[in-house]
Amino acid sequence: MTREVKLRATAMFDLDKWSEIWATVRRHKLRTGLTAFGVFWGIFMLVVLLGAGKGFRNGVEGEFNVAKNAVFVWTQRTSVPYAGLKVGRFIQLTNDDVATLEREVPEAAVILPRSSLDGTFTVQYGTKSSSFSVNGEYPGYPAVEALHLTSGRFINNIDIRDRRKVAVIGDRVAEVLFGAANPMGQQIRIKGIFFRVVGLFKGEGKPENAQERAQTIIIPLTALQVTFNQVNQVGYFAFLPKTGVPAALVETKVKQVLARQHKVAPTDERAFGSANVEEEYARVQGLFTGISGFSWLVSIGTILAGIIGVSNIMLIVVKERTKEIGIRKALGATPWSIVSLIVQESIVITAAAGLLGLLFGTALMAGINALIAGQNVGFFANPQVDIGVAATAVALLVVAGAVAGLVPAMKAAQVQPVVALKDE
């Protein structure tokens, strides 16, 4: 470390200089407070807007209880005549489509045939009975839709192969049929057919979705087909693309394969319906990016206004202390000591205001989070502040404060002692 650098470091940590800065701030409390408020408000608004944006993001993403790259494809009625077949034909998906899709759509990591019993059906256990939804699924279901198992297991490949009459029930089903008793291993009757309970899951998601899931019974699709007269019938398909494969590619290829399989005109866009969660999620992320950009724009504008205010105040300080600066230079003060005095005062104001803004903004987000903890408030949950981003903003603010004080400081350093001492 050179002698000049050591002198500068010593000047920066001169206690007398810090005491002088503190005395100046105390002498002009109102002016300093109003100047610092602009910086405080900019950081405060940045933290609040980013925290609220994060809460909105968490709430919306919490509503996505399906895989964010999932694709769903179902059949509708044809709208174009093809190969001698009339318009308005309903297409029935079958188990044969599964093997065809596995062979011709290698881009799909998960191919999940699904079906359900139309409406709700009376389910009985002993003397208790109620109506619930019944869905036929494959073991890949939890990869596509979130499933919170609280007890037991989910459907496995042996259940599918052997068409086992087993059931995984929602917590509301267990509450109605079993009360406080343990449902595991018990037999329930669905349309008079006995199924053994092997798993229990909790309904999650939006309130209406959670309630619907909690009243659902999941059984092996193969058991549903043979037991309830849906032999070789599939209701619809869910897909997950392989890593790096766009969901839109899988969606397009699946429709093309199914169109060939069921003799549907290539130009018939109404024969198959589909939902691409990846595209919907990308649109939502675009919205979040816009919100974040708006937050930064508003906050940075406010912070810049505060920084400009700090710079203007430092210019006033330099003008007020012109004679003092001249005396300092006449007594041998170096230009650097003059510059460091002004810059340090600018840094103190911006850093203190920025840290207070960060503290108050974080405290407000923590308070809001505590108020809504455990409550369902729709599309808003767990507002958070990325401390790394906030700390970086404050660090940049300190640098900006130094820059804001640099111009007035350079002006002060150029003061000629003779001219300053003549100034009245």
Side-chain angles (χ1 to χ4, degrees):
M1 184 180 290
T2 65
R3 183 172 181 274
E4 182 181 357
V5 173
K6 288 182 179 178
L7 289 174
R8 291 189 177 187
T10 302
M12 287 296 292
F13 295 98
D14 186 347
L15 291 180
D16 291 337
K17 187 173 294 184
W18 285 105
S19 298
E20 186 175 345
I21 291 172
W22 175 242
T24 303
V25 170
R26 290 184 63 189
R27 196 163 52 244
H28 302 284
K29 296 185 184 70
L30 180 60
R31 184 176 72 186
T32 303
L34 292 175
T35 302
F37 182 76
V39 178
F40 163 86
W41 190 251
I43 290 294
F44 177 79
M45 287 301 297
L46 176 64
V47 172
V48 170
L49 289 174
L50 289 179
K54 183 65 174 177
F56 182 48
R57 180 192 292 264
N58 290 339
V60 172
E61 289 186 349
E63 304 297 325
F64 277 86
N65 49 19
V66 299
K68 296 178 179 62
N69 61 341
V71 173
F72 298 90
V73 176
W74 60 89
T75 60
Q76 300 172 151
R77 293 191 179 276
T78 59
S79 60
V80 177
Y82 184 70
L85 299 172
K86 297 181 179 180
V87 176
R89 176 171 54 98
F90 179 77
I91 302 163
Q92 177 61 62
L93 299 173
T94 68
N95 293 335
D96 297 333
D97 294 326
V98 179
T100 303
L101 291 169
E102 288 176 346
R103 183 177 63 253
E104 299 191 25
V105 189
E107 295 84 358
V110 174
I111 298 176
L112 186 67
R114 312 178 71 178
S115 194
S116 62
L117 298 182
D118 293 333
T120 57
F121 288 86
T122 299
V123 180
Q124 297 173 303
Y125 172 72
T127 58
K128 296 181 179 180
S129 66
S130 188
S131 297
F132 301 107
S133 300
V134 180
N135 295 341
E137 302 287 356
Y138 264 60
Y141 171 85
V144 176
E145 296 192 27
L147 184 76
H148 181 195
L149 272 177
T150 57
S151 183
R153 65 172 179 86
F154 193 65
I155 294 164
N156 59 35
N157 290 322
I158 298 177
D159 296 329
I160 295 295
R161 184 194 65 193
D162 296 343
R163 302 180 179 87
R164 286 178 172 175
K165 293 181 177 62
V166 296
V168 182
I169 63 175
D171 51 1
R172 178 59 180 167
V173 179
E175 179 184 347
V176 172
L177 296 182
F178 297 94
N182 184 5
M184 300 302 298
Q186 301 300 318
Q187 300 276 349
I188 60 175
R189 282 188 296 168
I190 305 174
K191 294 185 69 174
I193 307 299
F194 284 97
F195 285 77
R196 189 178 81 257
V197 177
V198 296
L200 176 66
F201 67 91
K202 181 180 180 181
E204 295 185 324
K206 294 188 292 185
E208 58 271 22
N209 289 343
Q211 183 178 2
E212 180 181 347
R213 290 169 183 270
Q215 300 182 94
T216 298
I217 298 173
I218 298 174
I219 64 176
L221 176 58
T222 51
L224 182 146
Q225 289 173 334
V226 299
T227 306
F228 301 108
N229 196 30
Q230 292 188 16
V231 178
N232 200 33
Q233 294 181 13
V234 172
Y236 65 102
F237 281 99
F239 304 89
L240 289 182
K242 290 181 178 177
T243 303
V245 177
L249 175 62
V250 172
E251 181 182 15
T252 300
K253 290 196 68 173
V254 165
K255 287 184 176 181
Q256 291 172 347
V257 170
L258 291 178
R260 291 196 302 269
Q261 186 82 348
H262 294 276
K263 296 182 179 180
V264 174
T267 57
D268 192 343
E269 297 182 356
R270 296 177 58 184
F272 298 98
S274 63
N276 187 329
V277 179
E278 186 174 75
E279 291 182 353
E280 294 177 13
Y281 187 72
R283 284 193 291 270
V284 171
Q285 292 302 305
L287 174 62
F288 293 144
T289 301
I291 292 173
S292 179
F294 175 76
S295 302
W296 278 102
L297 181 64
V298 171
S299 302
I300 288 175
T302 307
I303 291 170
L304 285 177
I307 293 296
I308 293 172
V310 171
S311 182
N312 289 335
I313 289 299
M314 290 298 102
L315 285 170
I316 295 173
V317 169
V318 168
K319 185 172 180 61
E320 289 177 345
R321 300 172 65 180
T322 299
K323 183 175 286 189
E324 175 193 331
I325 293 170
I327 294 172
R328 286 173 180 269
K329 296 194 72 174
L331 294 175
T334 63
W336 168 250
S337 67
I338 303 297
V339 170
S340 64
L341 179 66
I342 304 301
V343 170
Q344 279 180 249
E345 186 171 341
S346 177
I347 290 176
V348 167
I349 293 173
T350 53
L355 288 173
L356 281 174
L358 176 62
L359 178 63
F360 277 78
T362 304
L364 178 61
M365 288 297 98
I368 292 174
N369 195 21
L371 285 174
I372 65 175
Q375 301 180 33
N376 193 309
V377 290
F379 293 102
F380 194 82
N382 191 23
Q384 299 172 338
V385 180
D386 189 327
I387 297 301
V389 172
T392 301
V394 173
L396 292 175
L397 184 64
V398 172
V399 174
V403 173
L406 191 59
V407 173
M410 296 302 294
K411 183 177 181 180
Q414 293 171 3
V415 170
Q416 298 298 322
V418 175
V419 176
L421 292 173
K422 287 181 180 179
D423 182 48
E424 294 297 336

